[in-house]
Amino acid sequence: MKILVTVKRVVDYNVKIRVAADGTGVDLANVKMAMNPFDEISVEEALRLKEAGKASEVVVVSVGPAKAEETLRTALAMGADRAILVETDEPVEPLAVAKIVRGVALEEAPGLIIVGKQAIDDDSNQTGQMLSALLGWSQGTFASKVEIGTDKAIVTREVDGGLQTIELKLPAVVTTDLRLNEPRYASLPNIMKAKKKPLDKRSPDDFGVDIKARLKLIKTEEPEGRKAGVKVKTVEELVSNLKAAGVI
Ligand code: AMP
């Protein structure tokens, strides 16, 4: 079974982001970029499944600018076999990404597609769900455990207040949650080897996908700073303050 993994190049999670002066988004000038953390978890899971003999090949795909090749090379250095870069300099919304990945999936015929639960730049949490709907495949979102059997996958999902275990018919789309695993670091020899691994370049047009924006960004704002707290001396004072604030 082949596993397809989506990886997105996003602002590194350690970077303190700044809103662009004109409010059109986030300032990306000279900002460190990295693989979306949930996608690192997806790559790790695919590699573990391959190492356990449940998968034969791990293919990683990214939609983005030429620089997204670095992100794909990171995935190859972790151990993925092959990469596909669907190159575009335009911003791509989750629906367009899902349509492109659907096109890749129809060509590659994977048994499983692993998608991050959300990209930490847009926080959309949409791509995996849209992809499974477009393909008509089963989906297991927010996975904290994935087991592969013959023609089926058992997925433990992180839901409000607990865990839910579901059985999916393969092929399926799984989205990864934080507790699924701890991604490995790429070793230096593997980083060198990754430079020679195959990376195929494609365009959204190859899959007949129009990536024109369907959403209009109205405004991006910094969150309001937190107001300083008040120290109270007695429980009575606390209760009266809470009442005055309409909390109780
Ligand atoms: P989102 O729906 O935007 O929150 O993203 C959820 C997941 O979809 C990410 O963790 C990625 O695995 C995948 N994804 C989103 N955008 C892209 C992209 N441009 N290229 C590759 N994968 C993507």
Side-chain angles (χ1 to χ4, degrees):
M1 179 180 80
K2 190 190 286 185
I3 303 182
L4 186 65
V5 182
T6 55
V7 297
K8 185 177 188 188
R9 180 176 183 264
V10 297
V11 174
D12 187 284
Y13 73 95
N14 291 304
V15 170
K16 184 163 182 343
I17 56 160
R18 291 178 312 265
V19 171
D22 58 3
T24 53
V26 167
D27 187 0
L28 292 178
N30 303 318
V31 167
K32 183 171 179 244
M33 306 292 280
M35 189 189 303
N36 185 44
F38 291 103
D39 300 345
E40 290 182 338
I41 295 173
S42 306
V43 174
E44 177 64 37
E45 194 62 18
L47 296 175
R48 290 187 189 187
L49 288 171
K50 189 181 167 195
E51 285 157 4
K54 304 283 184 190
S56 50
E57 191 184 24
V58 176
V59 181
V60 284
V61 56
S62 191
V63 182
K67 286 220 160 202
E69 176 170 343
E70 288 168 16
T71 315
L72 288 168
R73 293 275 172 215
T74 305
L76 293 171
M78 286 171 75
D81 298 290
R82 186 156 73 73
I84 302 167
L85 171 60
V86 183
E87 206 175 324
T88 172
D89 286 327
E90 300 301 317
V92 211
E93 292 170 357
L95 180 59
V97 174
K99 287 179 179 171
I100 291 169
V101 178
R102 172 184 178 270
V104 174
L106 293 179
E107 281 185 7
E108 295 282 342
L112 182 68
I113 308 180
I114 311 186
V115 180
K117 91 163 172 184
Q118 74 193 54
I120 61 163
D121 52 1
D122 59 20
D123 271 345
S124 294
N125 182 351
Q126 293 172 352
T127 309
Q129 294 88 330
M130 287 175 167
L131 174 63
S132 93
L134 289 170
L135 283 165
W137 293 6
S138 10
Q139 61 172 297
T141 49
F142 318 133
S144 62
K145 190 169 174 200
V146 177
E147 289 165 289
I148 302 292
T150 329
D151 298 332
K152 63 176 189 186
I154 309 286
V155 174
T156 305
R157 307 182 57 230
E158 305 234 345
V159 293
D160 279 351
L163 298 172
Q164 180 191 51
T165 305
I166 56 169
E167 186 180 299
L168 306 177
K169 196 158 111 352
L170 295 177
V173 176
V174 164
T175 76
T176 52
D177 215 322
L178 217 51
R179 273 180 280 267
L180 182 58
N181 61 47
E182 259 197 46
R184 68 195 66 187
Y185 289 104
S187 66
L188 193 57
N190 285 345
I191 293 173
M192 302 312 286
K193 271 193 226 155
K195 293 188 180 175
K196 296 210 181 82
K197 287 192 179 175
L199 186 144
D200 193 13
K201 288 195 181 163
R202 308 289 297 272
S203 78
D205 282 347
D206 293 346
F207 303 99
V209 178
D210 170 12
I211 60 165
K212 180 177 90 245
R214 264 98 174 152
L215 305 173
K216 191 170 156 202
L217 180 82
I218 300 180
K219 198 163 58 167
T220 309
E221 288 177 285
E222 296 269 357
E224 256 183 50
R226 282 181 69 174
K227 292 198 189 90
V230 181
K231 269 195 182 164
V232 290
K233 289 199 180 69
T234 61
V235 173
E236 289 72 27
E237 198 185 339
L238 172 67
V239 171
S240 107
N241 283 3
L242 290 174
K243 275 190 182 152
V247 179
I248 54 172

